[in-house]
Amino acid sequence: MRTLRNLIVALALTAGLAGTAQPASADSHTGIFHLNAQEQRYVTWSCPSDQAVESYSISSSAHVSHWGFEWRNNHNGFRVVASNDSNRQTGQIAADYICVPASITITQKITVPPSTVDGGHAGSFLICPASHPHVGRAWASVPANVTYTMSVYVDVKPERARFLLRNSSLIGASAKTFVDCRVHPA
């Protein structure tokens, strides 16, 4: 009977019962910095505080170069050192970048059968969307008679979390599983 239950759970998960989320909305930004002749300085581009940079491209005018790229504030922004090598002309450096919510939470409500039905076992699989492929954290909200174990899979992309729930009561129960999915690893 346990083999049959495992087969049913596997079929249910592959049939689309796994929790997923829709891609988050994205905002495009452009930031331009002007440099005087012979000026060298850090330039920083940032998203709003609850967002992260999903992608970027940097361009510059003649005589302006840049190096030393680094992420800032958990991928909320980035900076480079920009230098205008011209003795007479001003220059500029610009970045086009896309900001998305830094993390999204996906949930799945699951019914856990009573202990008299196949031992009261249920399973839940939450898969992060491609726009937010990294698991930040995972947890479940369960009633007192339900216990759970959780596994997070980071060796596959997008990352995912699996929950196995067990009901010790003679009455069925409802539970919720949650995963915070992030644009960049935590």
Side-chain angles (χ1 to χ4, degrees), residues 87-102:
N87 291 328
R88 294 184 215 127
Q89 297 177 1
T90 61
Q92 70 179 29
I93 185 167
D96 293 313
Y97 54 104
I98 296 175
C99 298
V100 296

Side-chain angles (χ1 to χ4, degrees), residues 147-168:
T147 58
Y148 73 94
T149 58
M150 176 196 58
S151 301
V152 175
Y153 299 90
V154 296
D155 55 342
V156 294
K157 297 297 180 240
E159 296 174 1
R160 56 205 65 197
R162 182 183 77 175
F163 297 85
L164 298 175
L165 300 96
R166 184 174 185 279
N167 186 355
S168 60

Side-chain angles (χ1 to χ4, degrees), residues 13 75 77 122 133 148:
L13 291 175
H75 293 86
Y148 73 94

Side-chain angles (χ1 to χ4, degrees), residues 13-14 18-20 106 124-130 132-138 150-163 178-181:
L13 291 175
T14 58
T20 58
I106 58 175
S124 172
F125 223 122
L126 296 172
I127 302 170
C128 289
H132 290 72
H134 302 283
V135 172
R137 65 185 187 114
M150 176 196 58
S151 301
V152 175
Y153 299 90
V154 296
D155 55 342
V156 294
K157 297 297 180 240
E159 296 174 1
R160 56 205 65 197
R162 182 183 77 175
F163 297 85
F178 304 86
V179 172
D180 277 342
C181 298

Side-chain angles (χ1 to χ4, degrees), residues 60-97:
S60 58
S61 61
H63 307 292
V64 174
S65 58
H66 67 278
W67 65 91
F69 178 91
E70 66 180 37
W71 287 111
R72 308 289 288 168
N73 301 324
N74 200 20
H75 293 86
N76 172 259
F78 56 98
R79 82 174 183 183
V80 297
V81 177
S83 178
N84 183 356
D85 298 332
S86 174
N87 291 328
R88 294 184 215 127
Q89 297 177 1
T90 61
Q92 70 179 29
I93 185 167
D96 293 313
Y97 54 104

